[in-house]
């Protein structure tokens, strides 16, 4: 088993540099001799290394960096590798050391010629059946793969092939796979990996942005989008970047939000979606106060194509549902990647809670277009229809759960469906051509905030602050045409005292639902008390398998028909990501993020 260990996450990536940083004392450095004063004891006066530390002179990895990159690395540190941040040093001190490192390298050696592997092809073939080229594998948001080399009969032989560790512990990324390369992300960083070995081919990173809030401050990122020779990535401060797919070089950087004097807490955690040759993305920050939007951008320049606001202003449709103050910061975040129906050119996008989420004194009414699925014209961004799962939300019941598009026979006739298991505890089947509710049934044993969904699709509210508030979440779900069942991870959080989770009564379940009736066909309890922010998604395959992450530590495969566990790999870390599958060299693999690692499995 090959487990390649990559260089440290940040730009420099040399273990010797970590020792350099550990030798530095957090005190003002003399501009004339910072290296001699603080580092020569470990690395030698000439920087060529001693028994205490490796050489830093004649180091090709340092030679290719700029003074600003070196200074930024010193400033932010690398805590997971034991290196503290040196942000308390003055800018002059940091810059003086960075320049000395460059003098030991750039002025004394010629950077080596690129290795053969670095010159990977810059023209790309058409998509292949075994690729995983978008966040959910295809535009429907249904994590169902037609790959069937790994089956219920041979899954017991599945083995770990490689591990790629990142610096960030709580990875939520879903890798993309195309042309023998996986693309993965961490906080403000992108890696290209050899799909067979996990060896890094290139990386891109930038410092975390100051002043962020919510998940953006945590560094949450779920992946990149791919279009021909470019990758598209959203930073923590809601900038959309284009990177050269072959090298990781930054091509352009475009702020997603328009310039404004208003203080919005926009953040970025989303994977963009490629539709009609445009890059479509949304924003996070609804829990802190924003005016949410979905926007489309040109892939060649980052220029805005269209923008659809989720919170109306005075004179706009929907403002009548905000009967108090004008909702300048009404929420309605759009941080979950949408789904797309090519036949009707319709984009389906989820929206989050209103703001303030718990204090509703200044926002009587339904508060459109929060807690909705929006059906948008993908070419113009115009609204075709909407459905609001939880009008006037007071319990942070974001509707940012997957909107899965399925064409199947439903109630005896061919139908175009949208499947959605909402945070409010109801499982919905909508006619995606018009938003009509065909089915709305609880998928939890206890739902007491509403007794039912009426014939017009509105909840019959009993207690707006009742349970649940987090029955499902953003993690992937799947519908399998092999069984006709819909699979998801559910949280029963209303089984004990109403204090929410994590508590000893909360329980997660892997559940299979009958989409005709909403009934639970089978379920698999997840061991251990439910913990916050450990949602992990599912992946169904044509091999009859359902892969999923056990939230409290483990990656498993079960039989789609009955939930019997066929294979399990103990990860021993909390799981927060959704799995994917791909082929390379004619063989099928399965990959998932677990804690700080990308894991790849194969037969």
């Amino acid at each position: 088993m090959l487990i390649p260990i990559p260089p440290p996450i940040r730009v420099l990536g040399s273990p010797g540099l970590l020792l350099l940083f550990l030798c530095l004392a957090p005190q003002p450095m003399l501009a004339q001799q910072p290296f001699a004063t603080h580092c020569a004891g470990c690395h030698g006066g000439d920087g060529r290394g001693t028994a205490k530390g490796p050489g830093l002179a004649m180091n090709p990895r340092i030679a290719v960096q700029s003074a600003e990159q070196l200074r930024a690395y010193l400033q932010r540190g690398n805590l997971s590798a034991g290196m503290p941040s040196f942000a308390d040093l003055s800018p002059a001190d940091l810059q003086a050391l960075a320049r000395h490192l460059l003098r030991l390298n750039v002025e004394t050696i010629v950077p080596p010629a690129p290795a053969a592997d670095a010159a990977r092809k810059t023209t790309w073939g058409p998509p292949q059946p075994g690729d995983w080229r978008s966040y959910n594998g295809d535009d429907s948001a249904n994590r169902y793969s037609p790959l069937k080399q790994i089956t219920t009969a041979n899954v017991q032989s599945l083995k770990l092939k490689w591990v790629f560790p990142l610096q960030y512990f709580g990875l939520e990324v879903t890798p993309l796979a195309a042309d023998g390369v996986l693309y993965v992300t961490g906080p403000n960083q992108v890696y290209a990996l050899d799909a067979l070995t996990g060896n890094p081919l290139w990386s891109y990173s930038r410092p975390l942005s100051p002043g962020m809030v919510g998940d953006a401050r945590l560094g949450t990122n779920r992946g990149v989008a791919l279009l021909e020779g470019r990758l598209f990535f959203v930073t923590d401060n809601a900038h959309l970047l284009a990177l050269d797919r072959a090298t990781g070089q930054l091509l352009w950087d475009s702020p997603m939000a328009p310039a404004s004097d208003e203080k919005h807490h926009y953040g970025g955690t989303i994977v963009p979606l490629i539709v009609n040759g445009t890059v479509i993305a949304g924003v996070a920050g609804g829990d802190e106060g924003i005016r949410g939007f979905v926007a489309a951008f040109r892939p060649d320049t980052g220029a805005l194509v269209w923008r659809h606001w989720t919170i109306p202003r005075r004179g706009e449709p929907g403002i009548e549902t905000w009967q108090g103050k004008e909702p300048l910061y009404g929420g309605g975040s759009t941080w979950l990647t949408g789904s797309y129906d090519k036949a009707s050119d319709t984009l389906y996008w989820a929206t989050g809670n209103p703001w303030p989420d718990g204090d509703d004194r200044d926002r009587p009414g339904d508060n459109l277009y929060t807690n909705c699925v929006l059906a948008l014209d993908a070419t113009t961004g115009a609204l075709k229809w909407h459905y609001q799962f939880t009008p006037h939300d007071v319990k942070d019941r974001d509707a940012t759960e997957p909107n899965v598009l399925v064409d199947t026979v439903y109630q005896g006739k061919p139908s175009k469906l949208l499947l959605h298991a909402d945070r409010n505890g109801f499982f919905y089947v909508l006619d995606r051509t018009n938003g009509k509710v065909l089915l709305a049934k609880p998928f939890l044993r206890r739902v007491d905030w509403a007794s039912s969904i009426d014939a017009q699709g509105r909840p019959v509210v009993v207690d707006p602050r009742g349970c649940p508030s987090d029955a499902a979440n953003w993690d992937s779900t799947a519908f399998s045409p092999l069984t006709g069942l819909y699979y998801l991870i559910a949280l029963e959080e209303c089984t004990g005292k109403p204090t929410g989770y994590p508590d000893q009564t909360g329980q997660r379940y892997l559940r299979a639902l009958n989409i005709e009736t909403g009934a639970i066909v089978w379920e698999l309890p997840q061991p251990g008390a439910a913990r916050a922010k450990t949602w992990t998604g599912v992946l169904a395959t044509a091999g009859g398998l359902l892969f999923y992450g056990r939230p409290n530590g483990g990656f498993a495969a079960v039989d789609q028909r009955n939930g019997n566990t066929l294979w399990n790999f103990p990860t021993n870390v909390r799981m927060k990501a959704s799995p994917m599958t791909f082929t390379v060299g004619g063989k099928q693999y399965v990959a998932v993020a677990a804690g700080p690692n990308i894991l790849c499995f194969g037969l």
Side-chain angles (χ1 to χ4, degrees), residues 443 478 483-490 509-515 518-524 546 559-563:
F443 62 91
T483 62
L485 300 179
Y486 183 68
Y487 306 97
L488 75 155
I489 299 289
Y509 291 84
L510 174 64
R511 282 183 172 152
L513 305 183
N514 181 319
I515 68 169
I520 300 171
V521 177
W522 59 258
E523 64 180 24
L524 191 59
L546 187 71
D559 191 313
Q560 292 177 17
R561 298 168 299 173
N562 50 34

Side-chain angles (χ1 to χ4, degrees), residues 54-78:
L56 301 172
M58 306 292 286
N59 187 319
R61 286 181 176 169
I62 299 177
V64 297
Q65 308 306 318
S66 68
E68 178 59 24
Q69 287 172 319
L70 292 169
R71 186 205 61 77
Y73 191 90
L74 281 162
Q75 186 176 36
R76 65 178 174 263
N78 188 345

Side-chain angles (χ1 to χ4, degrees), residues 301-351:
T301 64
L304 181 70
V305 177
W306 55 257
R307 187 188 313 276
H308 185 94
W309 296 100
T310 63
I311 303 297
R313 291 288 173 86
R314 287 200 179 101
E316 296 178 351
I319 192 62
E320 69 280 1
T321 67
W322 297 79
Q323 297 168 14
K325 296 179 180 179
E326 184 178 12
L328 300 180
Y329 307 95
S333 55
T334 51
W335 49 266
L336 184 74
T337 305
S339 49
Y340 174 65
D341 181 6
K342 183 176 181 179
S344 63
D345 195 32
T346 304
L347 187 68
Y348 300 89
W349 215 274
T351 69

Side-chain angles (χ1 to χ4, degrees), residues 213-214 262-267 283-292 311 327-333 353-357:
V213 293
E262 299 172 356
K263 178 59 176 177
H264 292 271
H265 298 286
Y266 287 119
V283 289
D287 291 330
E288 289 77 33
I290 62 170
R291 187 187 184 199
I311 303 297
L328 300 180
Y329 307 95
S333 55
N353 56 273
W355 185 84
D357 49 3

